[in-house]
């Protein structure tokens, strides 16, 4: 079984730590990658972190995960609330899926309350800041080690 976990990030998450720190915090995506990699390595796994502003690229990466990753941690960004295509790609993936939102989407505008991804996810994280990514990686490693 693959020991790789893909961490996928959708549109605008390349701006993490650079804009709107009051909502998304001061850590960058590079910081998230460093911490998730250290955690995964300590638990005997490896991570690959991706970010794209393009829906098709995210779908291509989910399809690649079918061959290369035992779990996906995904923050689809705004595509969470719009993309049936990302849901279809995740439904074609057999491994574990964790949905991770930095902010508590349920405390925000009503259009952020619905997620197309949640119905496929094995777990959903929202409002734990960027620590949520590490919690998802920890859970994935725990389930994959059983
Ligand atoms: O809370 C989350 O993680 C979100 O997935 C973030 C998305 C938003 O559309 C979702 O409703 C909730 C937005 C990502 C934008 O990321 C930025 C980060 C820093 C500065 C500006 C945008």
């Amino acid at each position: 079984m693959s020991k790789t976990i893909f961490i996928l990030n959708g549109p605008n998450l390349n701006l993490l730590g650079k804009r709107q720190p009051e909502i998304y915090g001061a850590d960058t995506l590079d910081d998230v990658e460093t911490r998730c990699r250290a955690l995964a390595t300590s638990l005997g796994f490896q991570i690959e972190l991706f970010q794209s502003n393009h829906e098709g690229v995210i779908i291509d990466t989910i399809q690649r995960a079918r061959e290369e990753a035992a779990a996906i941690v995904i923050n689809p960004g705004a595509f969470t609330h719009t993309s049936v295509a990302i849901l279809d790609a995740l439904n074609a993936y057999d491994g574990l899926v964790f949905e991770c939102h930095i902010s508590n989407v349920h405390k925000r505008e009503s259009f952020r309350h619905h997620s197309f991804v949640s119905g496929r996810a094995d777990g959903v994280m929202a409002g734990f800041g960027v620590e949520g990514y590490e919690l998802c990686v920890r859970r994935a490693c725990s389930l994959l080690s059983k």
Side-chain angles (χ1 to χ4, degrees):
M1 196 242 307
S2 167
K3 293 284 232 176
T4 300
I5 298 166
F6 276 11
I7 302 177
L8 307 187
N9 291 278
N12 297 308
L13 285 157
N14 53 311
L15 299 178
L16 205 58
K18 296 167 186 160
R19 300 292 303 271
Q20 296 184 271
E22 67 285 1
I23 302 177
Y24 299 113
D27 291 312
T28 65
L29 215 47
D30 283 349
D31 296 328
V32 171
E33 182 171 25
T34 299
R35 289 209 291 272
C36 286
R37 177 157 294 125
L39 174 65
T41 302
S42 75
L43 297 170
F45 289 83
Q46 57 201 27
I47 61 129
E48 286 186 40
L49 185 141
F50 306 90
Q51 188 277 330
S52 178
N53 293 326
H54 305 281
E55 191 174 17
V57 174
I58 294 166
I59 291 163
D60 288 343
T61 310
I62 293 169
Q63 290 190 7
R64 195 146 68 73
R66 285 159 48 84
E67 307 300 324
E68 297 181 19
I72 294 173
V73 175
I74 183 166
N75 182 348
F79 290 146
T80 306
H81 318 297
T82 63
S83 181
V84 175
I86 288 177
L87 172 63
D88 288 345
L90 290 170
N91 279 334
Y93 172 72
D94 288 331
L96 295 168
V97 174
F98 295 96
E99 179 182 356
C100 181
H101 297 287
I102 300 163
S103 64
N104 181 0
V105 284
H106 301 290
K107 208 177 166 185
R108 300 181 65 188
E109 304 97 319
S110 59
F111 64 82
R112 296 186 202 276
H113 297 178
H114 176 261
S115 164
F116 281 100
V117 171
S118 295
R120 162 64 182 91
D122 296 288
V124 180
M125 186 69 65
F128 288 76
V130 293
E131 282 178 61
Y133 288 92
E134 289 165 82
L135 294 167
C136 288
V137 168
R138 186 175 287 283
R139 176 68 174 158
C141 293
S142 165
L143 290 175
L144 292 170
S145 298
K146 282 186 178 144

